[in-house]
Amino acid sequence: MKERELKELICDIGKRIYTNGFVAANDGNITVKLNEKEYLTTPTGISKGYLRPEMIVKVDRKGEMLEGEYTPSSEVKVHLKIYEQREDVGAVVHAHPPYATTFAVAHIPLDFYLLPEAVYALGAVPVIPYAQPSTQELADGLIPYLQDYDAFLLENHGTVTVGTDLIKAFYKTETLEYNAKITYMARLLGRSNELSREEIDKLLAAFHKNNPGARHPGYVKFND
């Protein structure tokens, strides 16, 4: 996609995140990798529901502004650390979807096997130890998990999802939140029935067949 089209897509995804209630006020941020030296990022202090293409900022791999009239997101260092560690990642979405963030606040990893769509698309989702938002400590805290996972719960904070492109990264945020919502409501009922190990293995085999070379974390319970 051309740079202008990517800026328009960032604005569209920002509106979807905002209208879906995945962020409030000025929360959240989105980045897209243009090349090894340039990245597009949402600006700080602007609601994701009211973005315009001219607000999107271009930064280098150190987070220094290259183009734009607005200040880059304060969380851009977290995104840049992900790009540094994962060459396959082309976009990063950080949001605060309420159900997934509830698990982040409770420090409960999403390692439950209830929905085949979540099994296929995400696998296990770890909890990243707390660090103050917008700090290098938060960025560095992701490092031990980045090679194995595409979705993350940030303790007492929110979520991060990554993808080869922005659409895929956003879909993972949607899948993460929907899975968290169903898991939460099943817990309220006091009963849930997880998929069998055999069915999970079939779903994982289908994922790898349809996505050659792609990463999938599998399931922590089954790694013991």
Side-chain angles (χ1 to χ4, degrees), residues 66-117:
L66 298 174
E67 293 180 14
E69 299 180 2
Y70 290 78
T71 303
S73 167
S74 60
E75 296 275 18
V76 73
K77 58 177 67 68
V78 175
H79 296 236
L80 294 174
K81 178 59 67 174
I82 293 171
Y83 293 123
E84 176 190 303
Q85 298 287 319
R86 290 275 301 271
E87 293 183 358
D88 60 308
V89 170
V92 179
V93 174
H94 167 53
H96 302 162
Y99 285 94
T101 301
T102 297
F103 281 88
V105 168
H107 301 184
I108 300 173
L110 278 167
D111 191 30
F112 309 101
Y113 326 133
L114 304 178
L115 301 176
E117 295 82 3

Side-chain angles (χ1 to χ4, degrees), residues 1-222:
M1 296 179 68
K2 295 180 180 179
E3 189 171 314
R4 174 71 185 190
E5 293 173 326
L6 286 171
K7 289 181 178 180
E8 292 173 348
L9 181 59
I10 289 172
C11 295
D12 180 56
I13 296 299
K15 287 183 176 66
R16 292 173 186 271
I17 289 172
Y18 183 76
T19 56
N20 284 339
F22 293 174
V23 292
N26 303 329
D27 296 347
N29 33 77
I30 301 166
T31 59
V32 172
K33 180 180 179 179
L34 292 174
N35 52 57
E36 297 299 328
K37 297 181 179 180
E38 297 177 319
Y39 305 84
L40 296 177
T41 178
T42 48
T44 192
I46 303 292
S47 168
K48 303 303 152 311
Y50 298 92
L51 290 171
R52 301 190 305 273
E54 59 269 23
M55 294 177 173
I56 306 304
V57 183
K58 184 187 293 186
V59 298
D60 63 17
R61 55 189 174 189
K62 294 183 179 180
E64 299 295 327
M65 190 165 67
L66 298 174
E67 293 180 14
E69 299 180 2
Y70 290 78
T71 303
S73 167
S74 60
E75 296 275 18
V76 73
K77 58 177 67 68
V78 175
H79 296 236
L80 294 174
K81 178 59 67 174
I82 293 171
Y83 293 123
E84 176 190 303
Q85 298 287 319
R86 290 275 301 271
E87 293 183 358
D88 60 308
V89 170
V92 179
V93 174
H94 167 53
H96 302 162
Y99 285 94
T101 301
T102 297
F103 281 88
V105 168
H107 301 184
I108 300 173
L110 278 167
D111 191 30
F112 309 101
Y113 326 133
L114 304 178
L115 301 176
E117 295 82 3
V119 170
Y120 183 91
L122 289 180
V125 181
V127 176
I128 309 304
Y130 178 79
Q132 187 175 342
S134 306
T135 63
Q136 191 61 46
E137 182 184 0
L138 176 58
D140 292 341
L142 283 163
I143 294 175
Y145 304 88
L146 284 175
Q147 299 307 317
D148 297 316
Y149 301 94
D150 284 346
F152 313 88
L153 301 175
L154 308 180
E155 278 189 1
N156 299 83
H157 187 172
T159 65
V160 170
T161 59
V162 304
T164 54
D165 59 50
L166 181 52
I167 294 294
K168 290 184 176 66
F170 171 63
Y171 282 171
K172 288 175 183 176
T173 297
E174 283 197 316
T175 300
L176 173 59
E177 175 64 356
Y178 190 75
N179 186 45
K181 182 177 182 178
I182 297 301
T183 302
Y184 177 86
M185 290 193 293
R187 286 186 164 214
L188 290 180
L189 288 176
R191 178 178 178 180
S192 61
N193 296 290
E194 294 186 276
L195 297 171
S196 69
R197 174 66 184 274
E198 180 182 6
E199 182 60 25
I200 290 171
D201 286 341
K202 289 179 181 177
L203 290 164
L204 293 178
F207 174 86
H208 290 299
K209 179 180 179 180
N210 296 329
N211 302 274
R215 302 167 192 246
H216 196 292
Y219 293 86
V220 174
K221 287 181 185 177
F222 292 162

